[in-house]
Amino acid sequence: RKEVEQDPGPFNVPEGATVAFNCTYSNSASQSFFWYRQDCRKEPKLLMSVYSSGNEDGRFTAQLNRASQYISLLIRDSKLSDSATYLCVVNALGTPLVFGKGTRLSVIA
Amino acid sequence: DVKVTQSSRYLVKRTGEKVFLECVQDMDHENMFWYRQDPGLGLRLIYFSYDVKMKEKGDIPEGYSVSREKKERFSLILESASTNQTSMYLCASSPSGLDSSNQPQHFGDGTRLSIL
């Protein structure tokens, strides 16, 4: 079983749409959770950490469900500039981060 | 801002050559990592280091070695380059601490390595 699984997409959505990505993880000892964004031919960059109570940063909302071992990312009012690959990342204490393969988003005018 | 610098953006080498990829970070981070990224396979961890002179194998260490002589520098070495090592190589660093598992990683720009 893969440690971190994401739907690869692509998700093609119109500008202004709301889009949600889910990610499941297999290690129940995971303690830290992140969403990274990677533009084409660029390095991954931290988008936001995911906290147990859920957290919001502008148009982006992250949720964590420990019981079901999944993380979600919601993007409201999508912009063309949101087009990228979104990587789900989890981490158990004392181990390196484990990256999902990413979900590709294309926002279309 | 954290700065992770990789020595080359693009590199072309020949089969059998010994290849060095250099990575330097300026934030005094204890932890450093080397990944490769290939289409459909995502990021795969090659080696990592939690301290100077210390190294740990990641998921795909075969054909690679690393060196961490100074805290700020983590080098990836392809002992005898092969065509299947053509890839995007990404270096990352993160701070350590009482709860190091909560620290995200910061990546360099990446090196696109082609082995001919």
Side-chain angles (χ1 to χ4, degrees):
Chain A
R1 181 180 173 185
K2 295 175 186 173
E3 292 192 62
V4 178
E5 292 202 56
Q6 297 181 248
D7 182 339
F11 283 62
N12 300 313
V13 303
E15 272 187 292
T18 295
V19 61
F21 308 135
N22 287 329
C23 161
T24 58
Y25 61 94
S26 60
N27 186 353
S28 58
S30 297
Q31 294 184 328
S32 305
F33 309 90
F34 309 97
W35 283 101
Y36 276 70
R37 171 197 168 122
Q38 186 172 22
D39 294 295
C40 188
R41 296 184 171 270
K42 299 280 191 178
E43 76 277 17
K45 292 185 178 177
L46 178 67
L47 178 66
M48 59 196 302
S49 301
V50 185
Y51 302 119
S52 296
S53 55
N55 48 297
E56 191 173 302
D57 183 1
R59 298 181 293 107
F60 298 84
T61 301
Q63 295 280 353
L64 168 63
N65 185 319
R66 284 188 187 272
S68 301
Q69 294 184 199
Y70 80 79
I71 308 149
S72 65
L73 177 68
L74 183 79
I75 305 175
R76 290 183 300 278
D77 188 24
S78 299
K79 312 289 184 192
L80 294 175
S81 57
D82 293 334
S83 297
T85 296
Y86 290 85
L87 304 173
C88 172
V89 186
V90 305
N91 177 220
L93 185 63
T95 65
L97 299 183
V98 179
F99 288 79
K101 292 182 182 179
T103 298
R104 194 151 58 91
L105 171 67
S106 291
V107 181
I108 304 160
Chain B
D1 268 358
V2 176
K3 185 67 177 175
V4 180
T5 303
Q6 295 183 227
S7 52
S8 306
R9 288 300 303 275
Y10 301 93
L11 203 56
V12 180
K13 295 291 183 181
R14 294 200 176 277
T15 303
E17 279 193 73
K18 191 169 186 176
V19 181
F20 293 85
L21 301 183
E22 305 287 348
C23 175
V24 177
Q25 49 92 7
D26 66 358
M27 284 302 290
D28 202 36
H29 285 172
E30 288 79 11
N31 309 325
M32 297 188 75
F33 307 84
W34 273 108
Y35 296 87
R36 62 178 285 178
Q37 188 174 33
D38 302 285
L41 296 177
L43 280 160
R44 292 183 291 168
L45 182 63
I46 305 171
Y47 266 98
F48 60 101
S49 170
Y50 285 153
D51 204 349
V52 176
K53 304 254 186 212
M54 189 234 149
K55 59 185 178 183
E56 294 278 350
K57 291 181 179 179
D59 299 319
I60 51 162
E62 296 78 21
Y64 302 94
S65 62
V66 289
S67 172
R68 185 108 183 258
E69 295 296 318
K70 293 184 178 180
K71 191 175 185 180
E72 67 271 18
R73 185 180 297 271
F74 192 35
S75 304
L76 180 69
I77 303 151
L78 285 66
E79 297 292 342
S80 177
S82 62
T83 54
N84 63 12
Q85 292 178 308
T86 292
S87 185
M88 168 75 126
Y89 288 87
L90 288 155
C91 175
S93 74
S94 68
S96 189
L98 292 177
D99 190 2
S100 60
S101 67
N102 288 328
Q103 305 302 318
Q105 294 174 0
H106 302 269
F107 284 85
D109 291 343
T111 297
R112 287 202 171 272
L113 175 64
S114 295
I115 307 296
L116 304 179

